[in-house]
Amino acid sequence: MASTRDQDLGYSERRGEPPTKWEVYEQILAIAYYITFERVSDELRIFKLDGGSYQPQTIDNSQF
């Protein structure tokens, strides 16, 4: 199964194509939080919309 990691994190250098999922959530819908999970490495990443762009957030595992 192909990974969508690059698209999920907005790493596309396309011209003249539809926006990526990242671009839609960040720039069009302005969703407050964007969360990704990389199943191969078990990596959870959380981004918060701040000033019109997503900023990575630190995950504090002691809260869980």
Side-chain angles (χ1 to χ4, degrees):
M1 177 179 286
S3 173
T4 61
R5 180 182 183 276
D6 287 349
Q7 278 187 324
D8 292 343
L9 295 174
Y11 295 145
S12 178
E13 294 295 328
R14 308 158 297 102
R15 300 272 187 248
E17 293 184 22
T20 63
K21 181 172 27 173
W22 176 282
E23 292 167 336
V24 170
Y25 288 5
E26 178 187 67
Q27 299 168 16
I28 298 170
L29 299 176
I31 303 295
Y33 287 92
Y34 186 79
I35 300 170
T36 64
F37 178 72
E38 177 63 44
R39 62 185 170 87
V40 175
S41 64
D42 286 338
E43 181 182 16
L44 180 69
R45 296 177 71 182
I46 300 173
F47 301 88
K48 181 179 180 184
L49 192 61
D50 185 15
S53 64
Y54 283 127
Q55 303 301 317
Q57 302 297 296
T58 302
I59 300 171
D60 182 0
N61 290 328
S62 68
Q63 295 175 335
F64 301 104

